[in-house]
Amino acid sequence: MKVSSELQRYLISVGFKDSQARQKFLFPELTDHYDPFLMDQMEEVVTKLRGALKKRRKILVWGDADLDGISSAALLKLALQDLGFNEVGVRIPSRDAEGFGLKPDELRDFHQQGIELIVTVDVGITNIAEAALARQSGLDLIITDHHEITGDIPDTTIINPKMPGNKYPWRELSGSGVVLKLVCALYERMVGMGPEELVRLRPHYWAFASLGTISDRCPLVDENRLIVRNGLSFLQSGGWPSLEVWLEEMGLQAESLTVFDLYSRGISAFYAADAEEGVRLLLSDDQKYLHSRYAELKERAAAWQRGKQRMIDAAERTMRHTGGMVISISTDVGQDYLGTAAHALRERYGKPVIVIVPRKEQWHAECRGLEQVNLLEYLSRFERFFLTFGGHRKACGFTLRPGTLDEFLAAVDADPIRLPPSMDEGKAAFELAVTTDFTDWT
């Protein structure tokens, strides 16, 4: 296939200097997948899981309540079952009612119920105390995550491309992308099957990973582009019951499906569902249930969309410019709209944004940053005020310790974020093309 000279010049201007890099971006091949065992501790994780299979141990997959976490949990549960694991449960706490991450009381309860191994997906890298509790309780814990490392690391087995010193070539995998690499490693060691053969045998694995990659707004370059290309190809051709029904009920044409369709319309149904139900939906083949439930979720998503502008307006009414950022503190913005409001204000004012709302007796925040600055790293200066904290350099969140809101705001004002000069137009346009938030549902 010929490539226009205009496109060639554009790719060169945004960093693809040599022809091999441009070829890899435009026409990714399955052989471009990186060896999963380049990721630190991958061998140890595979060995531990193979041992769990031999001993017929009960396994629990613990995920996060966004679509990346949902698709990660579904992918790992399905792959483990395909490989012969019989008892694989899933636990995903509701963010609204329970927050995110491992729960100490539940760790004890699950251990008493006979769970012997917990594998986290898209979560866990900040759960220092919970990892220590699991170790003390005799409960094996494997953490798979892709979030940034902001402090101490849990004392347990971890695979995360952002771990210090990790030699994996691509650090921007989604949580589901990390799980896909684990699945590929398991198949390589247990079945002797590489990704080129596995994608032909289990193409829906790539579809699940692509949902997480797209919904988490990971840059669609390098290995992410390869994952999404193969996942989208499978969605276009069909062959997995829940995904076929999902596209049909959302009014999307599988044959002409694009990433934009999934951003703008498709994934909202999963955010309208309870997270654990989202896993059940992805793995179900009950046509009657799937049609009925997806239709209900589509309507719930539409109702959410109708309320979006009201919530953005509510956040804007209480915003202030402080510490080089826009900060909004509102009792009128619903928990489900936090990320949406933060994203909208960032786009409107061109600054990093924090939207803070009350949840029970605590203040909970969602933050959206700019490409030019690492917002997560900046906010880590204020971890003394946080009960929970984590995320990515451009999108993160925290929960404040009781009674520290005013202190936190004063500290931010005294130590403002510093924004470097704007990116050049060509680079900005490219980054917009590969990372734009085409959905406001977060």
Side-chain angles (χ1 to χ4, degrees), residues 53 59 156 233 292 296 319 337 365 375 377 406 428:
L53 175 61
I59 295 177
T156 192
S233 176
S292 173
E296 292 172 358
M319 74 178 198
Y337 292 87
L375 180 59
E377 183 178 272
D406 291 339

Coordinates of all heavy atoms in Angstrom, one line a residue, residues 53 59 156 233 292 296 319 337 365 375 377 406 428:
L53 N -2.5 -24.0 39.7 CA -3.3 -25.0 38.9 C -3.1 -26.4 39.4 O -4.0 -27.2 39.5 CB -3.0 -24.8 37.5 CG -3.7 -25.8 36.5 CD1 -5.2 -25.7 36.6 CD2 -3.2 -25.6 35.1
I59 N -8.8 -19.3 43.2 CA -8.2 -18.0 42.8 C -9.3 -16.9 42.8 O -10.5 -17.2 42.3 CB -7.6 -18.1 41.4 CG1 -6.4 -19.1 41.5 CG2 -7.1 -16.8 40.9 CD1 -5.7 -19.3 40.2
T156 N 5.2 -7.9 47.5 CA 4.6 -9.1 46.9 C 5.0 -9.2 45.4 O 5.8 -8.4 44.9 CB 3.1 -9.0 47.0 OG1 2.5 -10.3 46.7 CG2 2.5 -7.9 46.1
S233 N -10.4 -5.6 14.7 CA -10.7 -6.5 13.6 C -11.6 -7.6 14.0 O -12.5 -8.0 13.3 CB -9.3 -7.1 13.1 OG -9.5 -8.1 12.1
S292 N -31.7 -7.8 26.7 CA -32.5 -7.1 27.6 C -31.6 -6.1 28.4 O -32.0 -4.9 28.6 CB -33.3 -8.0 28.5 OG -33.9 -7.3 29.6
E296 N -31.3 -1.9 28.5 CA -31.5 -1.1 29.7 C -30.3 -0.2 30.0 O -30.5 1.0 30.4 CB -31.7 -2.0 30.9 CG -33.1 -2.8 30.9 CD -33.1 -3.8 31.9 OE1 -32.2 -4.0 32.7 OE2 -34.2 -4.5 32.0
M319 N -15.7 26.9 40.7 CA -14.2 26.8 40.5 C -13.5 28.0 40.9 O -14.0 29.1 41.0 CB -14.0 26.5 39.0 CG -14.2 27.7 38.1 SD -13.8 27.3 36.4 CE -13.6 28.9 35.7
Y337 N -20.0 11.9 37.8 CA -19.6 13.0 36.8 C -18.3 13.6 37.1 O -17.9 14.6 36.5 CB -20.7 14.0 36.8 CG -22.1 13.6 36.2 CD1 -23.0 12.9 37.0 CD2 -22.4 13.7 34.9 CE1 -24.2 12.5 36.5 CE2 -23.6 13.3 34.4 CZ -24.5 12.7 35.2 OH -25.7 12.2 34.7
A365 N -11.6 13.4 45.0 CA -11.2 14.2 43.9 C -10.9 13.4 42.6 O -10.3 12.3 42.8 CB -10.1 15.1 44.2
L375 N 1.0 15.6 36.2 CA 0.2 16.0 37.3 C 0.3 15.0 38.5 O 0.3 15.4 39.6 CB -1.3 16.1 36.8 CG -2.3 16.5 37.8 CD1 -2.0 17.9 38.4 CD2 -3.7 16.5 37.2
E377 N 2.9 13.3 39.4 CA 4.1 13.5 40.2 C 4.0 14.8 41.0 O 4.4 14.9 42.1 CB 5.2 13.7 39.1 CG 6.6 13.9 39.8 CD 7.7 14.0 38.7 OE1 8.2 12.9 38.3 OE2 8.0 15.1 38.2
D406 N -8.8 22.4 53.7 CA -8.3 23.8 53.7 C -6.7 23.8 53.7 O -6.1 24.6 53.0 CB -8.8 24.6 54.9 CG -10.2 24.9 54.8 OD1 -10.8 24.9 53.7 OD2 -10.9 25.2 55.9
A428 N 1.3 18.5 19.1 CA 0.1 18.6 19.8 C -1.0 17.9 19.0 O -1.9 17.2 19.5 CB -0.3 20.0 20.1

